Amino acid sequence: MTKVCIIGASGKVGQFAAYAISKIPFVSRLVLFGREGNENFLEGIKLDFIDSFSALGRDVKLSASTNPGDIEGSDVVIITSGIPRSPGQDRLDLAKQNARVVAYYSRLIAEYAPNAIIMVVSNPVDVMTAVALECSGFAPSRVFGLGTHLDSMRLKSYIANHFSVHVSEVHTRIIGEHGETMVPLWSATTIGGIQIQNLPEFSSLPKDDFVECVKVAGSEIINKCGATIYGPGEAIATIVRTILGNEDRILSVSAYIRSEVNDIGDVCIGVPVRINRKGVFPVPIRINEEEVLGFQRSVDRIRSITSEVLSDLKSESAELDKKNNVVHKNDLLF
Ligand SMILES: NC(=O)C1=CN([C@@H]2O[C@H](COP(=O)(O)OP(=O)(O)OC[C@H]3O[C@@H](n4cnc5c(N)ncnc54)[C@H](O)[C@@H]3O)[C@@H](O)[C@H]2O)C=CC1
Ligand SMILES: O=C([O-])CC(=O)C(=O)O
């Protein structure tokens, strides 16, 4: 019996991710969770899913809920709640607003599903991962964010397309911020097992254009159709499958590192991690000088915004404390 709960299931990403997860064979219970007022909407999604299960021959126990008690017993809880960016906005512009939402749900998860693994999707995902880690009080191995997995998938598809090979022949990795300062690791990119730098075509490869396309992929989709849905949804489902199947795959997600990348650490950011039933475990790596410079820049940027956001949450919490003289459970941020 494995139970997965999607918080923010009434939203676009939450809804499609839930659907993609419902097709994973080991998932036996799925909770479509949302905020109060969305009961009817969530129930409608549930009924529609049930119709599709009939066509698929799937047998998943499905619930639609706004009651925190229904998070209980979850093996994996995914937070997709929060505002998405509008055209012209940077993901980091969402930090302060979404931090309150992620903080609230992380505390709720800690209370109702203390043994769960938390996956954060809400943006800016690296900063929100740090918020979830802080507010849940969970071990770093049990809190991570979607991070640069989606960026790595995007780069992989551009490379596969350029070389006219199947995507499964391409292995590549982007680390750092899920955003402007992301760092592609060409040194860790292979095609059909061959180091990309050993291919004659490498010198003429439009590498900078590829990376630029990855950086703007989300905003381009948002400008054209309002939201990215299927890419993130499938990326989320892949990671859930990796956890529940205890697959020990190495994927790039946002995780807390101590000093695993060239001794750089103390931040939640996109890095390669081993993923299994116990959670996520950063893989110690050494990258080249140019990559270190880029990664350090990314770390500095995320670390500075993270510390601002965490300190705001702390003072808001202290403010509530003073005002109410009592801290109500639902107001607690820390
Ligand atoms: N890390 C990644 O790669 C990706 C992250 N995202 C992020 O995921 C989040 C959700 O995106 P969408 O589903 O497109 O947005 P959406 O607007 O369709 O859904 C937002 C969801 O959050 C809930 N929500 C909003 N404000 C809330 C609040 N104050 N309290 C409780 N719940 C609240 C809504 O009820 C809804 O369920 C955004 O922050 C977006 O930037 C989206 C795609 C990829
Ligand atoms: O771009 C956005 O805001 C959504 C997202 O993170 C992505 O699709 O990479």
Side-chain angles (χ1 to χ4, degrees):
M1 281 279 282
T2 50
K3 178 171 174 179
V4 177
C5 173
I6 291 106
I7 298 184
S10 66
K12 296 182 203 70
V13 173
Q15 191 177 150
F16 180 69
Y19 190 63
I21 290 166
S22 76
K23 294 189 180 177
I24 300 173
F26 344 93
V27 174
S28 48
R29 296 185 66 192
L30 189 61
V31 183
L32 308 171
F33 191 88
R35 58 178 157 170
E36 271 177 42
N38 278 345
E39 290 81 2
N40 219 27
F41 192 86
L42 291 164
E43 187 63 22
I45 299 171
K46 174 184 141 182
L47 295 174
D48 199 18
F49 274 27
I50 289 173
D51 288 349
S52 84
F53 293 168
S54 164
L56 291 167
R58 284 284 290 136
D59 181 18
V60 181
K61 189 170 179 311
L62 198 59
S63 36
S65 174
T66 60
N67 173 8
D70 287 320
I71 299 174
E72 205 172 312
S74 297
D75 297 287
V76 180
V77 183
I78 301 150
I79 305 177
T80 66
S81 303
I83 48 165
R85 61 179 167 152
S86 306
Q89 273 190 310
D90 189 279
R91 296 180 182 96
L92 292 173
D93 296 337
L94 312 172
K96 295 207 169 151
Q97 229 171 317
N98 282 350
R100 295 194 187 98
V101 179
V102 172
Y104 171 70
Y105 284 125
S106 304
R107 291 197 67 88
L108 218 57
I109 297 166
E111 185 176 346
Y112 288 94
N115 299 317
I117 292 173
I118 301 178
M119 184 195 317
V120 182
V121 177
S122 321
N123 270 321
V125 71
D126 301 297
V127 181
M128 295 306 110
T129 303
V131 169
L133 180 64
E134 180 79 31
C135 296
S136 65
F138 284 7
S141 56
R142 290 201 288 122
V143 181
F144 71 97
L146 186 55
T148 46
H149 176 55
L150 180 54
D151 304 304
S152 303
M153 276 172 44
R154 286 171 173 151
L155 180 59
K156 181 176 164 130
S157 101
Y158 304 153
I159 296 172
N161 191 37
H162 181 89
F163 286 93
S164 300
V165 295
H166 194 278
V167 278
S168 66
E169 292 298 331
V170 180
H171 277 91
T172 192
R173 209 162 281 293
I174 290 182
I175 61 170
E177 177 193 357
H178 174 54
E180 189 50 39
T181 62
M182 64 179 69
V183 183
L185 296 187
W186 295 108
S187 60
T189 303
T190 58
I191 301 179
I194 299 157
Q195 231 302 316
I196 196 168
Q197 285 152 340
N198 292 338
L199 296 174
E201 266 178 275
F202 182 70
S203 54
S204 59
L205 196 68
K207 297 184 279 296
D208 293 345
D209 294 349
F210 284 175
V211 176
E212 194 47 36
C213 284
V214 176
K215 284 185 186 171
V216 300
S219 54
E220 190 187 355
I221 297 168
I222 290 170
N223 288 343
K224 289 189 157 77
C225 68
T228 62
I229 301 172
Y230 304 104
E234 287 296 349
I236 294 164
T238 299
I239 298 173
V240 171
R241 194 180 301 113
T242 306
I243 295 171
L244 297 178
N246 202 22
E247 288 177 2
D248 276 320
R249 285 186 71 186
I250 312 279
L251 300 173
S252 302
V253 301
S254 190
Y256 178 77
I257 47 166
R258 290 183 178 82
S259 58
E260 283 85 348
V261 181
N262 287 58
D263 301 323
I264 302 169
D266 193 25
V267 67
C268 288
I269 203 153
V271 286
V273 301
R274 173 194 291 271
I275 306 186
N276 59 35
R277 199 70 180 70
K278 293 194 175 122
V280 303
F281 302 89
V283 179
I285 53 167
R286 283 278 174 273
I287 51 179
N288 69 36
E289 216 171 296
E290 193 189 340
E291 293 163 346
V292 171
L293 282 176
F295 186 67
Q296 185 66 64
R297 203 170 130 240
S298 208
V299 164
D300 290 345
R301 176 163 141 114
I302 292 301
R303 200 189 267 144
S304 129
I305 295 160
T306 300
S307 81
E308 221 178 282
V309 163
L310 291 180
S311 124
D312 280 3
L313 281 176
K314 268 182 190 144
S315 42
E316 278 178 31
S317 172
E319 215 26 61
L320 279 171
D321 197 358
K322 251 192 274 159
K323 239 194 303 193
N324 301 339
N325 206 20
V326 187
V327 180
H328 298 293
K329 194 177 73 184
N330 286 357
D331 293 335
L332 256 178
L333 298 170
F334 273 87

